[in-house]
Amino acid sequence: MWFLVIFTGYWVVFWQQYISLPGYIHGYINPHADVEIILVVDGLTVICLTLVVNYWARKMPAFQAVILGTVVTSVSWLILAFRPTIWGAILSLFVLALGEIIQQPRYYEYISRLAPPGQQGTYMGFAFLPIGLGSLIGGWFGGTLIHHFGESRASA
């Protein structure tokens, strides 16, 4: 159960690239930025580098890959924190995608191994629960943070 709660938190943060990042770029970095093109970095990186990264990480145990991918994804947001520029956002999304590539396939492998015999399907179904909960909570969470740390302080 705690594993699902932790990964709900992972997905809350992950979804911020689509929920909060566009507004952050327009409001605090460059109001004329082409955010749609910037957001494509994640998908393009996943498409172009999945085979290479998975080949590199194939001998890593599933749990270690999940942890490494989560750490890499977390570090990606620090890039934007220290470099709040268009190129910082692009690099941040590139590193986020690398963490996603390392973590995601092995996450499902790890979940399937946790399941008792005959329960793999049920466990795999619950593996998607954090994605949905992260999306639901992520909008409220991101909006609350932007309002509190951005809009409220800017108007004060």
Side-chain angles (χ1 to χ4, degrees), residues 68-99:
L68 177 62
T70 302
V71 168
V72 169
T73 301
S74 300
V75 166
S76 73
W77 292 110
L78 293 177
I79 295 168
L80 185 61
F82 291 116
R83 212 62 177 129
T85 63
I86 297 298
W87 285 107
I90 290 169
L91 181 59
S92 185
L93 289 175
F94 176 78
V95 173
L96 181 130
L98 292 177

Side-chain angles (χ1 to χ4, degrees), residues 129-150:
L129 186 62
I131 297 170
L133 289 175
S135 177
L136 288 173
I137 297 168
W140 169 84
F141 180 73
T144 301
L145 290 178
I146 288 286
H147 177 72
H148 179 75
F149 291 107

Side-chain angles (χ1 to χ4, degrees), residues 28-152:
Y28 300 98
I29 295 177
N30 182 345
H32 306 293
D34 192 349
V35 176
E36 294 80 15
I37 298 298
I38 295 168
L39 292 178
V40 168
V41 170
D42 181 349
L44 280 177
T45 303
V46 170
I47 290 167
C48 294
L49 297 180
T50 294
L51 292 176
V52 172
V53 173
N54 282 325
Y55 180 79
W56 169 77
R58 74 187 183 283
K59 294 189 188 223
M60 187 181 300
F63 186 71
Q64 286 179 357
V66 168
I67 297 300
L68 177 62
T70 302
V71 168
V72 169
T73 301
S74 300
V75 166
S76 73
W77 292 110
L78 293 177
I79 295 168
L80 185 61
F82 291 116
R83 212 62 177 129
T85 63
I86 297 298
W87 285 107
I90 290 169
L91 181 59
S92 185
L93 289 175
F94 176 78
V95 173
L96 181 130
L98 292 177
E100 181 184 359
I101 294 168
I102 295 167
Q103 185 259 1
Q104 269 311 109
R106 305 309 293 279
Y107 168 82
Y108 296 109
E109 176 185 343
Y110 182 71
I111 292 285
S112 71
R113 290 184 181 174
L114 284 177
Q119 295 294 313
Q120 287 88 359
T122 302
Y123 274 58
M124 294 301 286
F126 278 111
F128 288 99
L129 186 62
I131 297 170
L133 289 175
S135 177
L136 288 173
I137 297 168
W140 169 84
F141 180 73
T144 301
L145 290 178
I146 288 286
H147 177 72
H148 179 75
F149 291 107
E151 297 165 355
S152 294

